[in-house]
Amino acid sequence: MNFFVNKSMGHGNSGVEHAQFYRAERFREKNIPFKLIFTDRLPQLHQHMKEWHIAESEVIGIYDYFLSDDPDNYLQVGEQHTHDFYEEVLWDTTDTQRLIRRQATGHYTETVQRRKQYLKEKNVYRIEDDRVILDNGRHKISWHYRNEGSRGKRATNIRVDNFRGKHYLFTTFEELLDFFFLELQRRFEDNVYIIDRGSENEETLIRMKQQGIPLKIVDVVHAAHFVAWDAAHPLWNNYYQYMFDHFNDINLIVVATQLQREAMISQLTAIGMIDVSKKIIAIAVGGVSSPALITPKKWDGETIQFVTASRLHPEKHIIHIIQAISQLRLQGMSATLAIYGAGSEEKQLISYIASLNLSQFIQLKGLSQNMIQDMQAYDVFVSASYSEGFGLTYIEAISNAMPIATYANLYGAQTLVRDGVNGHLATFGPKNTDEVANVKQLMDAMRRVCDHYDELSVGAAEVAKQFSNEIIADQWQKVIVKLL
């Protein structure tokens, strides 16, 4: 079995989850078996699976599995007793949540007991989860939390009652993960674990492999892997440090672009590692279905409608795009912006747009379940991200023959946007003091796209041909065949 290993998914997802959903489509097309694994506590999992059109038979949730009446059947067909989600909260006399009881969308209820602790040094109260109980009447999982300083809140003394007729106690979540993945090893054959997220998952699987358990590990890199050189020593992105530390235990590393592959090979070779090129391959995260049928767009020269789509988080720099639109309008250009996505910055962005008196011209559209289709109503895609391992939204724009204006980030923009061919790249500096200059560069790129719109749309249709879904599906099929 081929497992896509992750921690969670939800109503709004990051590029990691969307990359998994996209890969799942390619595996379905090739009839390659796969299962998505989620190891976080996800009381609304099955609701979100329906939103993103993921079948029950394609998912294994760690808690659904341990709470199942028939674990073997669950591994094959998924959860067959789903529920509507709701929760009830018990508040104390100081208006503090002390007990939360939820009906999960899986076949269990979730009870969370919370503790209130006065922190004298900060003169504040801290309210946090203390005990969690998952129960469906026949099976139960429960644990306490303890604080471990810099490591944060950690589950401890995890009881799993009546799993396959036995009771278990795990002192840490890592022990529970070990048991879970060993269960999968016993129930499936020829297992390939494609790790997308979760250092705990990666550590468990590498430990198992070092113990001689027959499994294959594929690490997928979704972001920039390299930070800087410290003398002759590379400083890696923390998410990938463990992968590089255990390079020899990993069967394959998949990056999204040839640029990143070449950079990784060069960096590893520079520190004395040999034959690394055989273990690192590039497969695009997303592609285009029927690129030959894409029709270039034409702009009438009137209002130019920009669109962006991402999580609404600070690292996406949506405020830069809003500032660029404001400056374009002050210069006399009739420009509008639609912002798709959800996240922690939503209220701040709404307030900022209103402060510029731009609410009529810049609108937040919420999450999209079909960004390729929703983009068709607009003219130009714009991004202000400083870093993209690939950038599925670039592909969605290219699928619509839509010109792109973006910061020239590694590695997505520099792979998918050919300056002067299907869009324009804006230079940028990474420091806070660079932001004013960055916004001006982005605004200039947005204006230049409008100056040569029709030609850039033709270029986008041509670039699309290099990112065919069929090619990407073939690449994944070859990887799986080679690993087996």
Side-chain angles (χ1 to χ4, degrees):
M1 179 58 69
N2 303 294
F3 298 106
F4 301 173
V5 183
N6 199 343
K7 292 161 68 83
S8 67
M9 63 166 289
H11 178 58
N13 294 292
S14 75
V16 174
E17 286 71 48
H18 287 289
Q20 288 191 311
F21 302 161
Y22 176 86
R23 187 191 311 135
E25 282 290 334
R26 307 290 76 78
F27 275 52
R28 292 184 194 110
E29 290 168 1
K30 292 293 186 179
N31 294 315
I32 304 171
F34 72 93
K35 298 273 187 180
L36 289 142
I37 292 176
F38 297 112
T39 56
D40 274 357
R41 190 174 101 241
L42 303 170
Q44 293 177 268
L45 173 62
H46 301 276
Q47 172 189 327
H48 296 142
M49 286 165 56
K50 290 175 184 175
E51 289 179 18
W52 294 104
H53 311 293
I54 299 171
E56 289 292 338
S57 61
E58 295 174 338
V59 169
I60 299 173
I62 185 171
Y63 298 109
D64 285 328
Y65 176 56
F66 287 132
L67 291 165
S68 176
D69 287 338
D70 188 343
D72 290 329
N73 186 63
Y74 170 76
L75 291 179
Q76 299 304 318
V77 302
E79 182 57 71
Q80 301 302 295
H81 304 287
T82 59
H83 300 265
D84 292 332
F85 175 83
Y86 68 86
E87 73 174 20
E88 300 171 340
V89 179
L90 177 67
W91 302 78
D92 69 13
T93 56
T94 63
D95 205 30
T96 301
Q97 288 186 356
R98 300 309 293 266
L99 186 72
I100 304 170
R101 185 168 286 120
R102 302 183 177 105
Q103 171 58 62
T105 54
H107 190 45
Y108 61 91
T109 60
E110 176 181 286
T111 302
V112 181
Q113 300 171 6
R114 311 201 77 196
R115 63 171 167 251
K116 185 175 182 178
Q117 181 181 10
Y118 179 67
L119 302 179
K120 186 176 180 180
E121 64 278 8
K122 295 183 179 180
N123 193 30
V124 296
Y125 283 97
R126 180 173 63 195
I127 296 94
E128 59 186 1
D129 295 349
D130 177 44
R131 179 168 168 77
V132 177
I133 303 169
L134 312 180
D135 190 0
N136 61 14
R138 290 174 53 84
H139 312 274
K140 184 166 73 172
I141 304 173
S142 60
W143 64 87
H144 285 282
Y145 284 111
R146 67 170 182 265
N147 265 303
E148 293 189 356
S150 61
R151 296 186 71 190
K153 188 174 63 177
R154 310 281 290 179
T156 185
N157 292 333
I158 305 165
R159 284 194 54 165
V160 177
D161 292 332
N162 194 24
F163 173 68
R164 298 185 184 274
K166 295 182 180 180
H167 305 294
Y168 297 88
L169 177 66
F170 304 97
T171 58
T172 65
F173 179 70
E174 288 75 15
E175 288 182 9
L176 180 70
L177 272 185
D178 288 351
F179 182 75
F180 171 67
F181 281 111
L182 282 170
E183 278 287 303
L184 297 186
Q185 277 298 115
R186 295 187 187 104
R187 314 295 165 181
F188 294 95
E189 296 179 346
D190 299 324
N191 295 328
V192 176
Y193 295 89
I194 301 172
I195 304 175
D196 290 288
R197 195 195 297 277
S199 57
E200 305 98 326
N201 299 326
E202 187 174 39
E203 290 170 18
T204 287
L205 290 166
I206 286 177
R207 259 196 317 271
M208 289 167 59
K209 188 172 184 186
Q210 290 173 340
Q211 292 166 3
I213 296 172
L215 57 89
K216 303 292 174 63
I217 297 175
V218 177
D219 254 314
V220 182
V221 176
H222 292 281
H225 64 280
F226 176 76
V227 178
W229 288 100
D230 180 10
H233 180 72
L235 300 178
W236 307 116
N237 178 329
N238 285 341
Y239 289 108
Y240 303 116
Q241 181 68 55
Y242 195 83
M243 175 185 79
F244 288 118
D245 288 345
H246 296 83
F247 186 84
N248 292 332
D249 295 308
I250 294 163
N251 295 88
L252 197 65
I253 294 174
V254 178
V255 297
T257 69
Q258 285 294 341
L259 279 177
Q260 190 167 19
R261 177 178 182 268
E262 290 163 8
M264 191 180 291
I265 291 170
S266 174
Q267 291 148 2
L268 292 173
T269 302
I271 59 174
M273 299 184 73
I274 59 174
D275 293 331
V276 294
S277 61
K278 298 175 183 178
K279 196 176 278 193
I280 305 168
I281 65 169
I283 302 179
V285 169
V288 180
S289 60
S290 307
L293 301 179
I294 295 175
T295 303
K297 298 163 71 76
K298 292 185 180 296
W299 177 45
D300 62 12
E302 300 296 327
T303 297
I304 187 74
Q305 300 178 90
F306 291 94
V307 62
T308 191
S310 71
R311 290 176 295 116
L312 305 184
H313 284 255
E315 67 268 20
K316 298 299 181 180
H317 304 113
I318 305 296
I319 281 178
H320 291 200
I321 305 175
I322 294 169
Q323 292 169 341
I325 290 288
S326 177
Q327 292 180 21
L328 287 172
R329 292 193 63 82
L330 288 172
Q331 293 176 13
M333 178 179 286
S334 180
T336 65
L337 173 65
I339 302 170
Y340 284 86
S344 60
E345 276 202 321
E346 183 172 349
K347 290 181 179 178
Q348 179 186 345
L349 293 175
I350 291 171
S351 176
Y352 186 66
I353 292 165
S355 74
L356 297 175
N357 296 316
L358 290 175
S359 300
Q360 181 182 349
F361 308 104
I362 302 178
Q363 296 183 343
L364 274 70
K365 297 288 190 176
L367 282 170
S368 169
Q369 301 293 334
N370 190 339
M371 201 62 232
I372 292 177
Q373 180 176 320
D374 288 337
M375 273 190 189
Q376 293 172 6
Y378 307 97
D379 302 308
V380 179
F381 180 78
V382 58
S383 171
S385 177
Y386 287 177
S387 176
E388 290 288 350
F390 186 72
L392 275 170
T393 47
Y394 294 139
I395 280 289
E396 289 162 345
I398 291 168
S399 297
N400 282 298
M402 183 179 287
I404 299 169
T406 178
Y407 286 137
N409 59 63
L410 281 173
Y411 295 91
Q414 293 189 31
T415 294
L416 295 168
V417 184
R418 318 288 163 77
D419 198 68
V421 176
N422 68 316
H424 284 291
L425 298 169
T427 58
F428 67 96
K431 300 177 182 177
N432 291 338
T433 53
D434 297 322
E435 287 191 2
V436 172
N438 291 349
V439 171
K440 184 181 184 304
Q441 292 291 333
L442 183 63
M443 180 199 67
D444 288 344
M446 293 163 71
R447 178 181 286 281
R448 281 183 286 142
V449 165
C450 300
D451 292 341
H452 306 95
Y453 184 89
D454 292 358
E455 300 97 303
L456 294 174
S457 181
V458 171
E462 287 300 312
V463 171
K465 295 176 183 177
Q466 301 170 35
F467 294 93
S468 156
N469 282 343
E470 185 177 353
I471 292 173
I472 296 167
D474 287 342
Q475 289 176 310
W476 274 112
Q477 186 175 49
K478 289 175 182 176
V479 165
I480 299 303
V481 169
K482 187 176 179 180
L483 287 171
L484 293 179

mmCIF file of all heavy atoms in Angstrom, residues 74-104:
data_model
loop_
_atom_site.group_PDB
_atom_site.id
_atom_site.type_symbol
_atom_site.label_atom_id
_atom_site.label_comp_id
_atom_site.label_asym_id
_atom_site.label_seq_id
_atom_site.Cartn_x
_atom_site.Cartn_y
_atom_site.Cartn_z
ATOM 1 N N TYR A 74 -12.298 -1.412 8.823
ATOM 2 C CA TYR A 74 -12.053 0.029 8.735
ATOM 3 C C TYR A 74 -10.865 0.332 7.830
ATOM 4 O O TYR A 74 -10.901 1.274 7.021
ATOM 5 C CB TYR A 74 -11.808 0.623 10.129
ATOM 6 C CG TYR A 74 -11.321 2.049 10.059
ATOM 7 C CD1 TYR A 74 -12.203 3.093 9.771
ATOM 8 C CD2 TYR A 74 -9.970 2.360 10.220
ATOM 9 C CE1 TYR A 74 -11.745 4.400 9.656
ATOM 10 C CE2 TYR A 74 -9.507 3.658 10.109
ATOM 11 C CZ TYR A 74 -10.400 4.677 9.826
ATOM 12 O OH TYR A 74 -9.939 5.972 9.692
ATOM 13 N N LEU A 75 -9.810 -0.451 7.939
ATOM 14 C CA LEU A 75 -8.626 -0.205 7.105
ATOM 15 C C LEU A 75 -8.948 -0.329 5.624
ATOM 16 O O LEU A 75 -8.287 0.297 4.782
ATOM 17 C CB LEU A 75 -7.509 -1.178 7.479
ATOM 18 C CG LEU A 75 -6.865 -0.973 8.851
ATOM 19 C CD1 LEU A 75 -5.799 -2.037 9.092
ATOM 20 C CD2 LEU A 75 -6.262 0.425 8.987
ATOM 21 N N GLN A 76 -9.937 -1.115 5.292
ATOM 22 C CA GLN A 76 -10.275 -1.324 3.887
ATOM 23 C C GLN A 76 -11.304 -0.319 3.365
ATOM 24 O O GLN A 76 -11.158 0.219 2.276
ATOM 25 C CB GLN A 76 -10.806 -2.756 3.671
ATOM 26 C CG GLN A 76 -9.805 -3.833 4.030
ATOM 27 C CD GLN A 76 -8.486 -3.703 3.279
ATOM 28 O OE1 GLN A 76 -8.480 -3.425 2.078
ATOM 29 N NE2 GLN A 76 -7.375 -3.907 3.981
ATOM 30 N N VAL A 77 -12.357 -0.064 4.152
ATOM 31 C CA VAL A 77 -13.479 0.739 3.634
ATOM 32 C C VAL A 77 -13.667 2.055 4.367
ATOM 33 O O VAL A 77 -14.487 2.885 3.951
ATOM 34 C CB VAL A 77 -14.797 -0.065 3.673
ATOM 35 C CG1 VAL A 77 -14.662 -1.345 2.878
ATOM 36 C CG2 VAL A 77 -15.230 -0.360 5.114
ATOM 37 N N GLY A 78 -12.939 2.295 5.461
ATOM 38 C CA GLY A 78 -13.069 3.542 6.175
ATOM 39 C C GLY A 78 -14.214 3.536 7.170
ATOM 40 O O GLY A 78 -14.821 2.495 7.454
ATOM 41 N N GLU A 79 -14.522 4.692 7.704
ATOM 42 C CA GLU A 79 -15.572 4.838 8.710
ATOM 43 C C GLU A 79 -16.946 4.834 8.057
ATOM 44 O O GLU A 79 -17.232 5.666 7.210
ATOM 45 C CB GLU A 79 -15.374 6.141 9.490
ATOM 46 C CG GLU A 79 -16.388 6.372 10.595
ATOM 47 C CD GLU A 79 -16.402 5.230 11.588
ATOM 48 O OE1 GLU A 79 -15.426 5.094 12.359
ATOM 49 O OE2 GLU A 79 -17.402 4.467 11.584
ATOM 50 N N GLN A 80 -17.785 3.907 8.468
ATOM 51 C CA GLN A 80 -19.122 3.779 7.887
ATOM 52 C C GLN A 80 -20.214 4.354 8.789
ATOM 53 O O GLN A 80 -21.385 4.350 8.430
ATOM 54 C CB GLN A 80 -19.417 2.305 7.587
ATOM 55 C CG GLN A 80 -18.425 1.661 6.631
ATOM 56 C CD GLN A 80 -18.350 2.365 5.285
ATOM 57 O OE1 GLN A 80 -19.317 2.383 4.537
ATOM 58 N NE2 GLN A 80 -17.201 2.964 4.989
ATOM 59 N N HIS A 81 -19.843 4.850 9.973
ATOM 60 C CA HIS A 81 -20.830 5.396 10.912
ATOM 61 C C HIS A 81 -20.454 6.839 11.239
ATOM 62 O O HIS A 81 -19.974 7.140 12.326
ATOM 63 C CB HIS A 81 -20.892 4.548 12.187
ATOM 64 C CG HIS A 81 -21.194 3.103 11.942
ATOM 65 N ND1 HIS A 81 -22.442 2.660 11.583
ATOM 66 C CD2 HIS A 81 -20.392 2.009 11.978
ATOM 67 C CE1 HIS A 81 -22.411 1.342 11.412
ATOM 68 N NE2 HIS A 81 -21.181 0.926 11.648
ATOM 69 N N THR A 82 -20.644 7.734 10.281
ATOM 70 C CA THR A 82 -20.287 9.126 10.499
ATOM 71 C C THR A 82 -21.463 9.885 11.128
ATOM 72 O O THR A 82 -22.616 9.465 11.045
ATOM 73 C CB THR A 82 -19.875 9.798 9.183
ATOM 74 O OG1 THR A 82 -20.959 9.722 8.243
ATOM 75 C CG2 THR A 82 -18.651 9.117 8.597
ATOM 76 N N HIS A 83 -21.152 11.009 11.747
ATOM 77 C CA HIS A 83 -22.145 11.801 12.480
ATOM 78 C C HIS A 83 -21.983 13.275 12.139
ATOM 79 O O HIS A 83 -20.932 13.713 11.652
ATOM 80 C CB HIS A 83 -21.962 11.607 13.991
ATOM 81 C CG HIS A 83 -22.120 10.200 14.459
ATOM 82 N ND1 HIS A 83 -23.299 9.692 14.946
ATOM 83 C CD2 HIS A 83 -21.229 9.163 14.499
ATOM 84 C CE1 HIS A 83 -23.141 8.426 15.278
ATOM 85 N NE2 HIS A 83 -21.888 8.075 15.023
ATOM 86 N N ASP A 84 -23.020 14.050 12.435
ATOM 87 C CA ASP A 84 -22.914 15.501 12.364
ATOM 88 C C ASP A 84 -22.172 16.001 13.598
ATOM 89 O O ASP A 84 -22.371 15.510 14.712
ATOM 90 C CB ASP A 84 -24.301 16.152 12.306
ATOM 91 C CG ASP A 84 -25.021 15.849 11.002
ATOM 92 O OD1 ASP A 84 -24.339 15.627 9.983
ATOM 93 O OD2 ASP A 84 -26.271 15.829 11.003
ATOM 94 N N PHE A 85 -21.345 16.987 13.400
ATOM 95 C CA PHE A 85 -20.537 17.525 14.497
ATOM 96 C C PHE A 85 -21.339 18.535 15.316
ATOM 97 O O PHE A 85 -22.061 19.367 14.769
ATOM 98 C CB PHE A 85 -19.287 18.211 13.934
ATOM 99 C CG PHE A 85 -18.456 18.903 14.972
ATOM 100 C CD1 PHE A 85 -17.547 18.200 15.728
ATOM 101 C CD2 PHE A 85 -18.588 20.279 15.198
ATOM 102 C CE1 PHE A 85 -16.768 18.833 16.693
ATOM 103 C CE2 PHE A 85 -17.820 20.920 16.161
ATOM 104 C CZ PHE A 85 -16.907 20.191 16.908
ATOM 105 N N TYR A 86 -21.224 18.452 16.627
ATOM 106 C CA TYR A 86 -21.719 19.519 17.496
ATOM 107 C C TYR A 86 -20.944 19.477 18.796
ATOM 108 O O TYR A 86 -20.304 18.470 19.129
ATOM 109 C CB TYR A 86 -23.230 19.397 17.762
ATOM 110 C CG TYR A 86 -23.642 18.212 18.601
ATOM 111 C CD1 TYR A 86 -23.636 18.279 20.003
ATOM 112 C CD2 TYR A 86 -24.043 17.012 18.006
ATOM 113 C CE1 TYR A 86 -24.010 17.188 20.771
ATOM 114 C CE2 TYR A 86 -24.416 15.916 18.783
ATOM 115 C CZ TYR A 86 -24.402 16.018 20.164
ATOM 116 O OH TYR A 86 -24.766 14.937 20.931
ATOM 117 N N GLU A 87 -20.976 20.576 19.549
ATOM 118 C CA GLU A 87 -20.288 20.595 20.828
ATOM 119 C C GLU A 87 -21.090 21.353 21.869
ATOM 120 O O GLU A 87 -21.877 22.257 21.544
ATOM 121 C CB GLU A 87 -18.887 21.186 20.701
ATOM 122 C CG GLU A 87 -18.819 22.674 20.490
ATOM 123 C CD GLU A 87 -17.378 23.198 20.518
ATOM 124 O OE1 GLU A 87 -16.441 22.419 20.336
ATOM 125 O OE2 GLU A 87 -17.211 24.412 20.718
ATOM 126 N N GLU A 88 -20.901 20.968 23.127
ATOM 127 C CA GLU A 88 -21.496 21.628 24.279
ATOM 128 C C GLU A 88 -20.361 22.044 25.211
ATOM 129 O O GLU A 88 -19.400 21.285 25.409
ATOM 130 C CB GLU A 88 -22.455 20.692 25.014
ATOM 131 C CG GLU A 88 -23.613 20.200 24.159
ATOM 132 C CD GLU A 88 -24.424 19.108 24.843
ATOM 133 O OE1 GLU A 88 -23.877 18.487 25.786
ATOM 134 O OE2 GLU A 88 -25.572 18.892 24.434
ATOM 135 N N VAL A 89 -20.469 23.230 25.797
ATOM 136 C CA VAL A 89 -19.407 23.763 26.639
ATOM 137 C C VAL A 89 -19.959 24.077 28.021
ATOM 138 O O VAL A 89 -21.023 24.703 28.154
ATOM 139 C CB VAL A 89 -18.795 25.038 26.029
ATOM 140 C CG1 VAL A 89 -17.701 25.596 26.941
ATOM 141 C CG2 VAL A 89 -18.229 24.747 24.639
ATOM 142 N N LEU A 90 -19.243 23.633 29.038
ATOM 143 C CA LEU A 90 -19.588 23.955 30.416
ATOM 144 C C LEU A 90 -18.644 25.060 30.886
ATOM 145 O O LEU A 90 -17.425 24.909 30.841
ATOM 146 C CB LEU A 90 -19.445 22.721 31.311
ATOM 147 C CG LEU A 90 -19.718 22.937 32.807
ATOM 148 C CD1 LEU A 90 -21.196 23.268 33.035
ATOM 149 C CD2 LEU A 90 -19.338 21.682 33.598
ATOM 150 N N TRP A 91 -19.236 26.186 31.342
ATOM 151 C CA TRP A 91 -18.449 27.334 31.795
ATOM 152 C C TRP A 91 -18.520 27.402 33.321
ATOM 153 O O TRP A 91 -19.552 27.083 33.919
ATOM 154 C CB TRP A 91 -19.008 28.635 31.216
ATOM 155 C CG TRP A 91 -19.043 28.667 29.724
ATOM 156 C CD1 TRP A 91 -19.956 28.060 28.909
ATOM 157 C CD2 TRP A 91 -18.118 29.323 28.864
ATOM 158 N NE1 TRP A 91 -19.664 28.305 27.586
ATOM 159 C CE2 TRP A 91 -18.534 29.084 27.529
ATOM 160 C CE3 TRP A 91 -16.978 30.101 29.077
ATOM 161 C CZ2 TRP A 91 -17.868 29.584 26.424
ATOM 162 C CZ3 TRP A 91 -16.300 30.608 27.975
ATOM 163 C CH2 TRP A 91 -16.734 30.345 26.669
ATOM 164 N N ASP A 92 -17.433 27.867 33.962
ATOM 165 C CA ASP A 92 -17.487 28.045 35.410
ATOM 166 C C ASP A 92 -17.954 29.456 35.750
ATOM 167 O O ASP A 92 -18.298 30.250 34.869
ATOM 168 C CB ASP A 92 -16.143 27.698 36.066
ATOM 169 C CG ASP A 92 -15.031 28.690 35.725
ATOM 170 O OD1 ASP A 92 -15.344 29.776 35.192
ATOM 171 O OD2 ASP A 92 -13.861 28.387 35.999
ATOM 172 N N THR A 93 -17.975 29.797 37.023
ATOM 173 C CA THR A 93 -18.517 31.088 37.450
ATOM 174 C C THR A 93 -17.626 32.263 37.080
ATOM 175 O O THR A 93 -18.036 33.423 37.195
ATOM 176 C CB THR A 93 -18.723 31.087 38.976
ATOM 177 O OG1 THR A 93 -17.481 30.758 39.612
ATOM 178 C CG2 THR A 93 -19.803 30.090 39.371
ATOM 179 N N THR A 94 -16.406 31.990 36.609
ATOM 180 C CA THR A 94 -15.516 33.072 36.152
ATOM 181 C C THR A 94 -15.514 33.171 34.632
ATOM 182 O O THR A 94 -14.615 33.757 34.041
ATOM 183 C CB THR A 94 -14.083 32.848 36.661
ATOM 184 O OG1 THR A 94 -13.561 31.629 36.091
ATOM 185 C CG2 THR A 94 -14.044 32.765 38.170
ATOM 186 N N ASP A 95 -16.541 32.569 34.004
ATOM 187 C CA ASP A 95 -16.700 32.629 32.556
ATOM 188 C C ASP A 95 -15.531 31.966 31.827
ATOM 189 O O ASP A 95 -15.050 32.446 30.793
ATOM 190 C CB ASP A 95 -16.856 34.079 32.089
ATOM 191 C CG ASP A 95 -17.609 34.173 30.756
ATOM 192 O OD1 ASP A 95 -18.457 33.299 30.491
ATOM 193 O OD2 ASP A 95 -17.337 35.115 29.976
ATOM 194 N N THR A 96 -15.081 30.847 32.388
ATOM 195 C CA THR A 96 -13.980 30.082 31.800
ATOM 196 C C THR A 96 -14.494 28.721 31.343
ATOM 197 O O THR A 96 -15.225 28.048 32.068
ATOM 198 C CB THR A 96 -12.858 29.873 32.834
ATOM 199 O OG1 THR A 96 -12.379 31.151 33.268
ATOM 200 C CG2 THR A 96 -11.706 29.071 32.245
ATOM 201 N N GLN A 97 -14.092 28.305 30.150
ATOM 202 C CA GLN A 97 -14.446 26.967 29.676
ATOM 203 C C GLN A 97 -13.743 25.927 30.534
ATOM 204 O O GLN A 97 -12.527 25.949 30.668
ATOM 205 C CB GLN A 97 -14.000 26.774 28.216
ATOM 206 C CG GLN A 97 -14.799 27.544 27.198
ATOM 207 C CD GLN A 97 -14.382 27.185 25.777
ATOM 208 O OE1 GLN A 97 -13.445 26.424 25.558
ATOM 209 N NE2 GLN A 97 -15.089 27.727 24.800
ATOM 210 N N ARG A 98 -14.520 24.991 31.098
ATOM 211 C CA ARG A 98 -13.912 23.952 31.927
ATOM 212 C C ARG A 98 -14.159 22.550 31.398
ATOM 213 O O ARG A 98 -13.420 21.620 31.707
ATOM 214 C CB ARG A 98 -14.432 24.046 33.369
ATOM 215 C CG ARG A 98 -14.143 25.363 34.049
ATOM 216 C CD ARG A 98 -12.673 25.766 33.955
ATOM 217 N NE ARG A 98 -11.796 24.904 34.688
ATOM 218 C CZ ARG A 98 -11.397 25.120 35.937
ATOM 219 N NH1 ARG A 98 -11.792 26.204 36.577
ATOM 220 N NH2 ARG A 98 -10.581 24.294 36.538
ATOM 221 N N LEU A 99 -15.217 22.381 30.606
ATOM 222 C CA LEU A 99 -15.519 21.060 30.048
ATOM 223 C C LEU A 99 -16.135 21.249 28.666
ATOM 224 O O LEU A 99 -17.081 22.026 28.499
ATOM 225 C CB LEU A 99 -16.487 20.309 30.953
ATOM 226 C CG LEU A 99 -16.788 18.857 30.556
ATOM 227 C CD1 LEU A 99 -15.585 17.963 30.831
ATOM 228 C CD2 LEU A 99 -18.005 18.343 31.315
ATOM 229 N N ILE A 100 -15.573 20.562 27.664
ATOM 230 C CA ILE A 100 -16.107 20.622 26.305
ATOM 231 C C ILE A 100 -16.463 19.203 25.886
ATOM 232 O O ILE A 100 -15.632 18.285 25.980
ATOM 233 C CB ILE A 100 -15.064 21.207 25.321
ATOM 234 C CG1 ILE A 100 -14.603 22.593 25.791
ATOM 235 C CG2 ILE A 100 -15.658 21.293 23.911
ATOM 236 C CD1 ILE A 100 -13.418 23.125 25.012
ATOM 237 N N ARG A 101 -17.698 19.022 25.467
ATOM 238 C CA ARG A 101 -18.128 17.705 25.004
ATOM 239 C C ARG A 101 -18.554 17.826 23.550
ATOM 240 O O ARG A 101 -19.405 18.644 23.205
ATOM 241 C CB ARG A 101 -19.266 17.174 25.877
ATOM 242 C CG ARG A 101 -19.678 15.757 25.517
ATOM 243 C CD ARG A 101 -20.593 15.147 26.570
ATOM 244 N NE ARG A 101 -19.845 14.778 27.784
ATOM 245 C CZ ARG A 101 -20.095 15.285 28.974
ATOM 246 N NH1 ARG A 101 -21.044 16.176 29.133
ATOM 247 N NH2 ARG A 101 -19.387 14.899 30.025
ATOM 248 N N ARG A 102 -17.942 17.027 22.688
ATOM 249 C CA ARG A 102 -18.203 17.108 21.256
ATOM 250 C C ARG A 102 -18.679 15.768 20.715
ATOM 251 O O ARG A 102 -18.166 14.722 21.118
ATOM 252 C CB ARG A 102 -16.933 17.506 20.486
ATOM 253 C CG ARG A 102 -16.311 18.818 20.909
ATOM 254 C CD ARG A 102 -15.099 19.140 20.037
ATOM 255 N NE ARG A 102 -14.516 20.429 20.370
ATOM 256 C CZ ARG A 102 -13.380 20.594 21.047
ATOM 257 N NH1 ARG A 102 -12.706 19.526 21.474
ATOM 258 N NH2 ARG A 102 -12.923 21.805 21.308
ATOM 259 N N GLN A 103 -19.619 15.822 19.780
ATOM 260 C CA GLN A 103 -19.900 14.659 18.949
ATOM 261 C C GLN A 103 -18.996 14.780 17.736
ATOM 262 O O GLN A 103 -19.141 15.688 16.922
ATOM 263 C CB GLN A 103 -21.357 14.626 18.503
ATOM 264 C CG GLN A 103 -21.658 13.551 17.462
ATOM 265 C CD GLN A 103 -21.321 12.143 17.944
ATOM 266 O OE1 GLN A 103 -21.880 11.666 18.903
ATOM 267 N NE2 GLN A 103 -20.383 11.478 17.263
ATOM 268 N N ALA A 104 -18.021 13.911 17.630
ATOM 269 C CA ALA A 104 -17.123 13.936 16.479
ATOM 270 C C ALA A 104 -17.856 13.433 15.242
ATOM 271 O O ALA A 104 -18.893 12.765 15.339
ATOM 272 C CB ALA A 104 -15.896 13.072 16.758
#
